[in-house]
Each structure stands twice: as structure tokens, then as C-alpha cells.
Amino acid sequence: MPSKKNVLAVVPPHIGGRTAGAGLATLLPDEVHVTVVEAVDEDPQALRAAHVVITALSPVTAEHLAAAPELELVQCASHGFDYLDLDAARAQGVLVCNIGSSGAEEQNVAEQTFALMLALAKRIVPAHTALVDGDWALPRLQSSLTELSGKTLGIVGLGAIGQQVARRAAAFDMTVVYAGRRPVPEETTARLGGARHVPLDELLRLSDYVTLHAPLTDETRHLLDAERLALLRPTAFVINTARGALIDQDALADALEAGTLAGAGLDVFDPEPPTLALRLLKAPNVVLSPHVGGVTRETVVRIALAAVQNAAGFLTGERPGDVVS
């Protein structure tokens, strides 16, 4: 391994930009040369020389990869990696890692999931808006208020984040079913209050709340399309804190507008940020947040440390963790 390696750290302005990147650069080995930018193609020379790119949700395209002939690793500072051209990385022999096993985002995404669920169950947003406008809305809202206790929560993807959601669901006395490519070990489900593995279509029929925690891949894009949304009860709610494209957004808007679905809580969109033409912005019974599920002060620090530590290990000859491609 050459004595000098070049790292391109891409930190967009909204999560600290060059200032945050400069602090993270101090955590990499002394013999590494680090260039901090706010977009991947901001410094073409640094991209061309980079052996490692650390990116915090900034897209890495096939063109970017082609412009980096020395590149060996792209380290995603996130669980998701859909903003990177995996096919191009594979073709170029570039490793791609995320921070999936770090636990950095688990707590906050699980909390955001329950914040959205509770806001829908208790009609927090319309109640607040009505009071601000001088409207005592209790008589109008009372019939639509509900509890989480005793309800069935369907978790699509019982990975690390899904398991954190299941733990909280048990504390709310909810029944948990989950769907995924394969069942998790029995000892895991025992810790989660006896979560039961079922096929996705059955989960949709059973659940009062459906929450998505699957990665975005070609197979999961529009996982909830019009046909699957039609399997849900009209009293059911859909929560998405994973990736916007897991749901067909027009089909979801159709269901909400038609009243065949009780509501939706969304922290993610396709694309991000959404355009004002997105029908979900005006759909009834929605609670929306701007992808805040992984960006608390505490979470951002954990994410950054996990990404930098994995990249630092690779640079010193260790096998990196969380290889996704």
C-alpha cells in the first residue's frame, strides 16, 4: 500500500459543510491527505486523485466514479446507499460501505417513527393548527382519535432499525408482525415481544400501522404500489422513515384522497426535497417532516464517527465493515 492516500470528504452545507469536514479529517491517519468539499465534483483534481470518498448523502454518479481512476472505496455516511451508482462502482471494482452495523441512526429513526405514529393517532397537527386559529376542535376531532395500545404494527424490514421500532412497540402494548426476505432468529423475536414473520401481503391485511425500514433497491422500489396499498384497511396508517421511493407517491395520494387509507406519516420523499407539485403535500391526514429521522445532534456525530472509523481502518490495511457492494 502506498505511503500516501488521498481522501475526498464530501459534507453538504446543511450538515456542517467544510467546517464539520475539517473536524472529521483530524480523525483519519496522519499519513492521509484529506480534501473537504461540499459536492463531489467541486474539486475535479481531488476527485481524480482520491483513493477513498466519504460521502454524507451527496450523490456519487457513474460520471464521478469514471473521473476517479484511483478510487478504491466509497464510504457512505448513512444506512442508505441509493444515492450512489452501485452498478458503476462494481464495474470499476470500487468497494462500497455504509454504516449499517454501527447503530448510529437506530435510536433516532425509531423515535421519529413513533413521533409520526403518535401524531397521527392523536391528530396533533390539526389540533395544534385549530387552536392557533382560535378553534376548539375537540368535538370535531374526538371521533378520529385513537390509541396505539392493542393495535397491530407491521414492520417491513426487521433489521437494526426495525428491531428498535419493535422494542418500542412492545412498550406500547402493540402486537408486532414483520415481513422480510427471511425470518430473524427466534431469540431475537423473543426479545422483541414475540414479533411474528408473515408474507408482506398478509402483513398489509393484518396491520393497523405499517412502517417501512427496508433499503431501497431495484426490488423494493415502489414496494407499496396501488395494488398493495389496496390491501390495507381503510383505518390503517402508513409510516415511512426509510426511503421515499419505497412507496408509489401518486398511489398513496390517491388512497388518502379517496379515503381508503386513514393517514400517512412521511419523513422521506422521492425526490428530496420534494417539489411543490407533490400531491402528498396537500393530501388529507398526513404528517410530514423533512428527512429529520437521522439528523439529531447526537445522531450526526455517531454517523460521522462510524463512517470515518470504517474508512480509517481500510486506509490502514484492515478489512472494512458493512460492505454493500
Side-chain angles (χ1 to χ4, degrees), residues 141-318:
L141 296 177
Q142 185 171 356
S143 63
S144 60
L145 299 175
T146 185
E147 300 174 352
L148 298 188
S149 177
K151 302 300 189 298
T152 296
L153 174 64
I155 302 176
V156 181
L158 199 68
I161 293 173
Q163 290 178 29
Q164 290 292 338
V165 172
R167 287 181 54 205
R168 287 158 176 77
F172 275 91
D173 295 321
M174 301 182 82
T175 298
V176 175
V177 294
Y178 72 97
R181 285 181 294 181
R182 61 184 67 87
V184 300
E186 289 185 9
E187 57 267 27
T188 300
T189 57
R191 292 198 303 270
L192 303 176
R196 183 164 60 93
H197 183 256
V198 297
L200 176 59
D201 288 359
E202 183 179 350
L203 177 147
L204 297 173
R205 293 187 182 96
L206 289 172
S207 298
D208 299 293
Y209 291 83
V210 173
T211 179
L212 302 179
H213 301 288
L216 178 61
T217 65
D218 290 341
E219 291 73 27
T220 61
R221 183 175 295 275
H222 288 188
L223 185 68
L224 294 193
D225 56 12
E227 183 177 353
R228 283 209 167 105
L229 288 168
L231 299 176
L232 288 158
R233 304 170 184 173
T235 55
F237 297 90
V238 170
I239 311 296
N240 190 7
T241 56
R243 286 293 185 267
L246 292 173
I247 302 178
D248 181 333
Q249 295 178 141
D250 282 326
L252 179 59
D254 288 341
L256 291 166
E257 291 167 3
T260 58
L261 189 65
L266 307 172
D267 187 48
V268 287
F269 305 90
D270 179 31
E272 291 186 349
T275 69
L276 292 177
L278 181 67
R279 291 165 57 202
L280 290 168
L281 300 179
K282 300 286 195 301
N285 298 329
V286 295
V287 178
L288 310 174
S289 54
H291 205 153
V292 301
V295 293
T296 59
R297 290 189 299 270
E298 299 91 342
T299 305
V300 168
V301 171
R302 291 195 299 265
I303 289 171
L305 288 175
V308 170
Q309 288 168 358
N310 202 39
F314 174 79
L315 289 163
T316 55
E318 298 176 13

Side-chain angles (χ1 to χ4, degrees), residues 10-27:
V10 190
V11 187
H14 72 278
I15 54 174
R18 292 181 183 81
T19 301
L24 293 173
T26 64
L27 302 176

